Amino acid sequence: MDRPSPAVQDYLKAIYQLDEVAEVQGPVTTAQVAEALAVTTASASNMLKKLDTLGYAVQVKRQGVELTEAGRSAALEVIRHHRL
């Protein structure tokens, strides 16, 4: 699979990190993602739809988004590369 675009990588990393530090289990909200990346909720919403289409995440209606296995491994790959 090709490497995700930088924007997709940023979202994957943000969702992964929000999910890891979340006190509550369950989907990460669009508002949380938007705040973490300093973008509008509309922009975040559009990208989350794209991540769903690409198979990196699953949108849960009115709740938020969860990473798929592919999304999770792509996020970990991004984090590994950013640490180097």
XYZ file of all heavy atoms in Angstrom:
637
model
N 0.849 -1.187 0.000
C 0.000 0.000 0.000
C 0.893 1.248 0.000
O 1.908 1.306 0.679
C -0.883 -0.029 1.257
C -1.916 1.044 1.281
S -2.974 0.834 2.736
C -4.504 1.349 2.040
N 0.511 2.242 -0.771
C 1.283 3.487 -0.825
C 1.244 4.188 0.528
O 0.323 4.021 1.302
C 0.691 4.430 -1.892
C 0.941 3.917 -3.298
O 1.885 3.128 -3.475
O 0.185 4.314 -4.208
N 2.252 4.999 0.734
C 2.309 5.785 1.963
C 1.242 6.877 1.902
O 1.089 7.544 0.884
C 3.705 6.408 2.061
C 4.034 6.817 3.454
C 5.514 6.745 3.688
N 5.768 7.529 4.883
C 6.851 8.205 5.098
N 7.809 8.200 4.208
N 7.003 8.877 6.201
N 0.505 7.068 2.999
C -0.542 8.105 2.996
C 0.048 9.509 2.833
O 1.198 9.753 3.183
C -1.205 7.962 4.361
C -0.590 6.804 5.039
C 0.582 6.349 4.242
N -0.763 10.422 2.323
C -0.333 11.815 2.150
C -0.020 12.423 3.521
O -0.494 11.931 4.543
C -1.442 12.618 1.474
O -2.498 12.839 2.392
N 0.777 13.494 3.542
C 1.098 14.136 4.829
C -0.147 14.530 5.633
O -0.170 14.376 6.862
C 1.910 15.367 4.420
C 2.556 14.958 3.129
C 1.522 14.096 2.445
N -1.172 15.020 4.976
C -2.405 15.413 5.688
C -3.056 14.182 6.319
O -3.464 14.220 7.488
C -3.373 16.099 4.733
N -3.140 13.094 5.573
C -3.721 11.857 6.101
C -2.882 11.364 7.280
O -3.415 10.967 8.316
C -3.824 10.772 4.995
C -4.154 9.412 5.585
C -4.875 11.168 3.960
N -1.564 11.441 7.138
C -0.670 11.026 8.231
C -0.934 11.834 9.500
O -0.986 11.279 10.592
C 0.796 11.198 7.821
C 1.257 10.210 6.775
C 2.714 10.423 6.396
O 3.500 10.966 7.164
N 3.077 9.994 5.205
N -1.104 13.152 9.341
C -1.371 14.017 10.497
C -2.660 13.598 11.217
O -2.705 13.536 12.445
C -1.488 15.485 10.073
C -0.152 16.087 9.649
O 0.905 15.504 9.970
O -0.179 17.136 8.991
N -3.689 13.317 10.441
C -4.968 12.914 11.032
C -4.851 11.554 11.715
O -5.361 11.368 12.821
C -6.083 12.882 9.971
C -6.710 14.233 9.766
C -6.139 15.171 8.919
C -7.887 14.584 10.415
C -6.708 16.419 8.733
C -8.481 15.834 10.233
C -7.874 16.741 9.398
O -8.456 17.975 9.219
N -4.181 10.609 11.065
C -4.013 9.283 11.662
C -3.282 9.389 12.994
O -3.691 8.797 13.993
C -3.238 8.358 10.715
C -3.967 7.925 9.452
C -3.022 7.177 8.533
C -5.183 7.071 9.780
N -2.215 10.171 13.003
C -1.426 10.356 14.222
C -2.275 11.001 15.323
O -2.269 10.553 16.469
C -0.200 11.216 13.911
C 0.707 11.436 15.096
C 1.911 12.269 14.687
C 2.743 12.661 15.889
N 3.816 13.576 15.557
N -3.031 12.043 14.965
C -3.869 12.743 15.947
C -4.934 11.815 16.522
O -5.142 11.776 17.742
C -4.524 13.966 15.311
N -5.604 11.063 15.670
C -6.654 10.146 16.132
C -6.049 9.084 17.051
O -6.580 8.795 18.123
C -7.398 9.480 14.952
C -8.154 10.534 14.148
C -8.359 8.400 15.454
C -8.614 10.043 12.780
N -4.919 8.534 16.640
C -4.254 7.513 17.450
C -3.906 8.066 18.830
O -4.188 7.454 19.849
C -2.993 7.012 16.734
C -2.263 5.955 17.515
C -2.657 4.622 17.437
C -1.202 6.281 18.346
C -1.998 3.645 18.170
C -0.543 5.317 19.080
C -0.940 3.995 18.988
O -0.293 3.031 19.716
N -3.294 9.252 18.851
C -2.876 9.843 20.122
C -4.079 10.215 20.995
O -4.046 10.004 22.204
C -1.970 11.048 19.876
C -0.621 10.605 19.336
C 0.282 11.753 18.927
O -0.185 12.823 18.548
N 1.577 11.517 18.986
N -5.128 10.745 20.387
C -6.335 11.067 21.156
C -6.947 9.800 21.750
O -7.399 9.793 22.892
C -7.366 11.789 20.275
C -7.046 13.240 19.936
C -7.925 13.717 18.783
C -7.217 14.136 21.154
N -6.939 8.742 20.971
C -7.492 7.466 21.422
C -6.661 6.900 22.578
O -7.197 6.360 23.533
C -7.538 6.477 20.255
C -8.334 5.236 20.592
O -9.401 5.362 21.228
O -7.895 4.136 20.226
N -5.355 7.049 22.492
C -4.462 6.515 23.523
C -4.621 7.241 24.863
O -4.525 6.626 25.903
C -2.998 6.607 23.070
C -2.648 5.622 21.971
C -2.822 4.165 22.398
O -2.154 3.744 23.344
O -3.629 3.465 21.761
N -4.823 8.557 24.818
C -4.911 9.329 26.064
C -6.343 9.489 26.567
O -6.552 10.001 27.652
C -4.248 10.725 25.936
C -2.784 10.596 25.640
C -4.957 11.570 24.909
N -7.302 9.039 25.781
C -8.712 9.201 26.163
C -9.017 8.412 27.425
O -8.633 7.261 27.559
C -9.615 8.734 25.032
N -9.704 9.069 28.329
C -10.125 8.408 29.570
C -11.265 7.432 29.251
O -11.395 6.406 29.862
C -10.661 9.451 30.565
C -9.726 10.619 30.814
C -8.523 10.235 31.654
O -8.734 9.657 32.725
O -7.399 10.497 31.223
N -12.073 7.827 28.291
C -13.260 7.048 27.938
C -12.963 6.226 26.691
O -12.365 6.722 25.746
C -14.447 8.003 27.633
C -15.716 7.221 27.349
C -14.648 8.984 28.767
N -13.365 4.967 26.704
C -13.203 4.144 25.503
C -14.317 4.491 24.534
O -15.395 4.881 24.940
C -13.252 2.652 25.850
C -12.017 2.171 26.566
C -10.758 2.281 25.724
O -10.570 3.216 24.947
N -9.868 1.341 25.876
N -14.020 4.344 23.259
C -15.019 4.647 22.250
C -14.440 5.559 21.199
O -13.248 5.876 21.220
N -15.268 5.982 20.276
C -14.792 6.796 19.155
C -14.225 8.149 19.590
O -14.654 8.710 20.591
C -16.039 7.000 18.301
C -17.024 5.997 18.763
C -16.683 5.704 20.189
N -13.258 8.624 18.809
C -12.708 9.970 18.988
C -13.648 10.908 18.232
O -14.015 10.636 17.090
C -11.282 10.049 18.394
C -10.745 11.461 18.436
C -10.348 9.097 19.132
N -14.052 12.001 18.857
C -15.020 12.900 18.206
C -14.351 13.781 17.160
O -13.145 14.049 17.227
C -15.742 13.799 19.226
O -14.786 14.708 19.779
C -16.406 12.998 20.329
N -15.156 14.229 16.221
C -14.685 15.147 15.182
C -14.142 16.419 15.818
O -13.108 16.939 15.404
C -15.850 15.483 14.217
O -16.374 14.262 13.695
C -15.388 16.358 13.069
N -14.819 16.906 16.852
C -14.382 18.132 17.534
C -13.004 17.954 18.171
O -12.167 18.859 18.122
C -15.403 18.534 18.587
N -12.757 16.779 18.761
C -11.446 16.504 19.361
C -10.349 16.526 18.295
O -9.278 17.089 18.518
C -11.432 15.142 20.057
C -12.218 15.087 21.343
C -12.295 13.669 21.884
O -12.650 12.733 21.157
N -11.975 13.511 23.159
N -10.623 15.905 17.152
C -9.652 15.866 16.063
C -9.401 17.284 15.546
O -8.254 17.691 15.352
C -10.130 14.948 14.910
C -9.183 15.005 13.727
C -10.276 13.510 15.400
N -10.468 18.041 15.335
C -10.348 19.413 14.841
C -9.507 20.258 15.785
O -8.612 20.993 15.349
C -11.737 20.028 14.659
N -9.773 20.129 17.081
C -9.028 20.903 18.073
C -7.556 20.499 18.093
O -6.667 21.349 18.135
C -9.649 20.703 19.457
C -9.038 21.600 20.514
C -9.668 21.420 21.882
O -10.848 21.022 21.962
O -8.959 21.674 22.872
N -7.286 19.220 18.042
C -5.906 18.722 18.079
C -5.086 19.213 16.887
O -3.891 19.464 17.002
C -5.904 17.197 18.116
N -5.744 19.352 15.743
C -5.039 19.759 14.527
C -5.245 21.235 14.179
O -4.767 21.700 13.145
C -5.481 18.875 13.350
C -5.064 17.411 13.482
C -5.762 16.565 12.437
C -3.556 17.268 13.365
N -5.963 21.952 15.031
C -6.241 23.381 14.819
C -6.875 23.648 13.454
O -6.448 24.505 12.690
C -4.966 24.206 14.989
N -7.905 22.849 13.155
C -8.678 23.039 11.919
C -10.147 23.161 12.297
O -10.522 22.885 13.440
C -8.484 21.856 10.922
C -7.045 21.762 10.474
C -8.953 20.539 11.511
N -10.967 23.559 11.349
C -12.407 23.656 11.625
C -13.005 22.252 11.705
O -12.450 21.299 11.155
C -13.143 24.437 10.513
O -13.023 23.703 9.294
C -12.562 25.835 10.343
N -14.142 22.152 12.378
C -14.796 20.843 12.452
C -15.230 20.376 11.069
O -15.223 19.185 10.789
C -16.003 20.854 13.425
O -16.822 21.952 13.109
C -15.566 20.915 14.857
N -15.558 21.330 10.189
C -15.947 20.962 8.816
C -14.765 20.315 8.081
O -14.929 19.295 7.402
C -16.430 22.185 8.048
N -13.584 20.907 8.222
C -12.384 20.327 7.590
C -12.098 18.942 8.152
O -11.804 18.005 7.402
C -11.155 21.209 7.840
O -11.284 22.430 7.178
N -12.174 18.832 9.479
C -11.927 17.538 10.118
C -12.941 16.507 9.639
O -12.590 15.378 9.314
C -11.977 17.679 11.632
N -14.192 16.920 9.566
C -15.258 16.017 9.131
C -15.001 15.492 7.717
O -15.154 14.303 7.447
C -16.599 16.736 9.201
O -17.632 15.869 8.841
N -14.586 16.395 6.825
C -14.292 15.987 5.446
C -13.145 14.983 5.401
O -13.207 13.995 4.672
C -13.956 17.202 4.578
C -15.182 18.026 4.264
O -16.304 17.528 4.256
N -14.978 19.310 4.009
N -12.093 15.241 6.174
C -10.951 14.325 6.163
C -11.313 12.989 6.804
O -10.869 11.942 6.337
C -9.748 14.960 6.868
C -8.528 14.062 6.871
S -7.978 13.538 5.219
C -6.791 14.814 4.868
N -12.137 13.008 7.835
C -12.540 11.749 8.465
C -13.351 10.895 7.486
O -13.211 9.678 7.477
C -13.324 12.015 9.754
C -12.520 12.704 10.867
C -13.398 12.950 12.084
C -11.274 11.941 11.233
N -14.158 11.548 6.660
C -14.890 10.814 5.615
C -13.899 10.173 4.651
O -14.066 9.028 4.223
C -15.833 11.749 4.846
C -17.075 12.107 5.606
C -18.034 12.927 4.750
C -19.203 13.399 5.573
N -19.239 14.843 5.773
N -12.855 10.934 4.297
C -11.830 10.422 3.382
C -11.097 9.224 4.015
O -10.851 8.220 3.345
C -10.836 11.534 3.027
C -9.764 11.102 2.060
C -8.860 12.261 1.686
C -7.777 11.779 0.720
N -6.893 12.858 0.318
N -10.767 9.332 5.294
C -10.089 8.223 5.983
C -10.965 6.977 5.981
O -10.469 5.865 5.843
C -9.750 8.615 7.426
C -8.698 9.694 7.624
C -8.521 9.989 9.112
C -7.375 9.309 7.012
N -12.271 7.187 6.135
C -13.226 6.079 6.089
C -13.186 5.439 4.700
O -13.064 4.214 4.573
C -14.630 6.603 6.415
C -15.625 5.490 6.717
O -15.439 4.363 6.226
O -16.604 5.756 7.426
N -13.237 6.257 3.664
C -13.200 5.771 2.281
C -11.906 5.008 1.990
O -11.916 3.990 1.300
C -13.334 6.956 1.290
O -14.532 7.659 1.591
C -13.378 6.485 -0.147
N -10.790 5.516 2.536
C -9.482 4.882 2.310
C -9.293 3.608 3.140
O -8.325 2.879 2.953
C -8.357 5.872 2.637
C -8.213 7.076 1.715
C -7.226 8.084 2.302
C -7.774 6.642 0.327
N -10.211 3.372 4.077
C -10.116 2.171 4.896
C -9.259 2.322 6.141
O -8.939 1.339 6.804
N -8.882 3.555 6.472
C -8.057 3.796 7.659
C -8.883 3.967 8.927
O -8.370 3.830 10.022
C -7.183 5.039 7.478
C -6.061 4.870 6.487
C -5.914 5.748 5.418
C -5.137 3.841 6.621
C -4.880 5.608 4.513
C -4.099 3.694 5.717
C -3.974 4.574 4.665
O -2.943 4.426 3.777
N -10.137 4.348 8.767
C -10.988 4.609 9.928
C -12.428 4.247 9.610
O -12.798 4.124 8.449
C -10.897 6.088 10.315
N -13.202 4.095 10.681
C -14.630 3.835 10.539
C -15.352 4.943 11.284
O -15.070 5.191 12.457
C -15.013 2.466 11.143
C -16.520 2.258 11.093
C -14.292 1.345 10.421
N -16.249 5.614 10.576
C -17.039 6.669 11.226
C -18.253 6.044 11.890
O -18.940 5.224 11.299
C -17.483 7.711 10.209
C -16.375 8.672 9.842
C -16.915 9.906 9.163
O -17.435 9.825 8.063
N -16.797 11.033 9.825
N -18.470 6.431 13.135
C -19.627 5.968 13.891
C -20.570 7.155 13.981
O -20.236 8.169 14.590
C -19.206 5.487 15.304
C -20.399 4.943 16.067
C -18.099 4.446 15.206
N -21.724 7.031 13.341
C -22.672 8.159 13.269
C -22.895 8.827 14.622
O -23.143 8.156 15.615
C -24.022 7.683 12.730
C -24.077 7.621 11.224
C -24.532 8.954 10.662
C -24.749 8.874 9.183
N -23.940 9.743 8.387
N -22.763 10.144 14.621
C -22.994 10.990 15.791
C -22.120 10.666 16.992
O -22.394 11.088 18.093
C -24.464 10.948 16.213
C -25.372 11.648 15.225
C -26.791 11.711 15.792
N -27.762 12.302 14.919
C -28.101 11.878 13.701
N -27.517 10.837 13.186
N -29.016 12.490 12.983
N -21.076 9.885 16.789
C -20.193 9.553 17.910
C -18.752 9.927 17.620
O -18.060 10.423 18.486
C -20.273 8.069 18.237
C -21.577 7.676 18.890
C -21.598 6.205 19.232
O -20.591 5.635 19.630
N -22.732 5.583 19.066
N -18.283 9.668 16.404
C -16.909 9.998 16.071
C -16.296 8.986 15.123
O -16.977 8.448 14.262
N -15.009 8.724 15.348
C -14.270 7.884 14.424
C -13.343 6.952 15.197
O -12.844 7.298 16.271
C -13.472 8.772 13.423
C -12.377 9.550 14.120
C -12.915 7.983 12.273
N -13.160 5.754 14.651
C -12.234 4.783 15.234
C -11.317 4.290 14.129
O -11.761 4.077 12.996
C -13.003 3.603 15.832
C -13.832 3.976 17.038
C -14.602 2.794 17.619
O -14.979 1.883 16.849
O -14.830 2.790 18.825
N -10.053 4.096 14.447
C -9.102 3.590 13.461
C -9.340 2.112 13.209
O -9.658 1.357 14.125
C -7.660 3.789 13.951
C -7.165 5.223 14.061
C -5.762 5.253 14.661
C -7.176 5.909 12.715
N -9.168 1.703 11.950
C -9.205 0.285 11.602
C -7.806 -0.269 11.894
O -6.890 0.482 12.245
C -9.511 0.096 10.103
O -8.474 0.740 9.353
C -10.866 0.668 9.729
N -7.608 -1.561 11.706
C -6.266 -2.142 11.884
C -5.271 -1.472 10.938
O -4.147 -1.170 11.328
C -6.290 -3.655 11.645
C -6.725 -4.447 12.856
C -5.915 -4.139 14.110
O -4.661 -4.157 14.060
O -6.529 -3.856 15.153
N -5.704 -1.242 9.692
C -4.828 -0.581 8.715
C -4.497 0.843 9.165
O -3.348 1.296 9.043
C -5.496 -0.548 7.334
N -5.484 1.539 9.693
C -5.281 2.898 10.176
C -4.362 2.945 11.379
O -3.490 3.808 11.488
N -4.544 1.964 12.248
C -3.716 1.889 13.450
C -2.254 1.626 13.084
O -1.350 2.269 13.610
C -4.263 0.764 14.331
C -3.844 0.850 15.737
C -4.705 -0.128 16.581
N -4.510 0.160 17.975
C -4.965 1.233 18.589
N -5.677 2.105 17.945
N -4.711 1.448 19.851
N -2.022 0.690 12.182
C -0.631 0.393 11.808
C -0.015 1.546 11.024
O 1.162 1.852 11.191
C -0.511 -0.942 11.074
O -1.246 -0.944 9.901
N -0.813 2.232 10.195
C -0.308 3.406 9.469
C 0.044 4.523 10.456
O 1.066 5.195 10.310
C -1.340 3.894 8.449
N -0.784 4.717 11.482
C -0.523 5.740 12.500
C 0.765 5.425 13.257
O 1.590 6.308 13.491
C -1.699 5.830 13.478
N 0.944 4.160 13.628
C 2.166 3.766 14.339
C 3.398 3.979 13.465
O 4.443 4.398 13.950
C 2.070 2.301 14.777
C 1.149 2.061 15.968
C 0.896 0.569 16.162
C 1.716 2.672 17.232
N 3.262 3.704 12.179
C 4.354 3.924 11.228
C 4.718 5.412 11.171
O 5.889 5.775 11.182
C 3.909 3.421 9.848
C 4.993 3.374 8.809
C 6.042 2.302 9.063
O 5.750 1.320 9.762
O 7.161 2.475 8.558
N 3.711 6.276 11.116
C 3.922 7.727 11.090
C 4.655 8.164 12.360
O 5.631 8.909 12.303
C 2.569 8.483 10.984
C 2.754 9.975 11.213
C 1.936 8.233 9.625
N 4.187 7.683 13.502
C 4.797 8.056 14.780
C 6.250 7.587 14.833
O 7.132 8.333 15.249
C 3.966 7.498 15.964
C 2.634 8.260 16.029
C 4.721 7.593 17.275
C 1.574 7.617 16.885
N 6.505 6.391 14.343
C 7.884 5.870 14.308
C 8.768 6.760 13.459
O 9.871 7.120 13.843
C 7.906 4.455 13.753
C 8.130 3.411 14.821
C 8.467 2.060 14.229
N 7.445 1.545 13.353
C 6.381 0.847 13.740
N 6.208 0.578 15.010
N 5.508 0.406 12.884
N 8.284 7.136 12.281
C 9.063 7.992 11.360
C 9.303 9.380 11.958
O 10.354 9.958 11.774
C 8.380 8.128 9.998
C 8.595 6.929 9.128
N 9.758 6.729 8.429
C 7.807 5.877 8.861
C 9.675 5.587 7.769
N 8.500 5.046 8.014
N 8.305 9.907 12.665
C 8.445 11.244 13.255
C 9.426 11.243 14.411
O 10.006 12.275 14.733
C 7.082 11.774 13.711
C 6.223 12.202 12.557
N 5.073 12.917 12.726
C 6.349 12.012 11.222
C 4.529 13.147 11.545
N 5.272 12.601 10.624
N 9.621 10.093 15.048
C 10.577 10.005 16.159
C 12.014 9.959 15.663
O 12.926 10.306 16.388
C 10.304 8.755 16.989
C 9.114 8.931 17.889
C 9.056 7.837 18.941
N 7.871 8.013 19.767
C 7.058 7.031 20.093
N 7.290 5.809 19.711
N 6.005 7.277 20.845
N 12.216 9.497 14.445
C 13.580 9.357 13.921
C 14.205 10.692 13.582
O 13.599 11.649 13.296
C 13.588 8.473 12.672
C 13.145 7.031 12.907
C 13.112 6.275 11.581
C 14.072 6.340 13.874
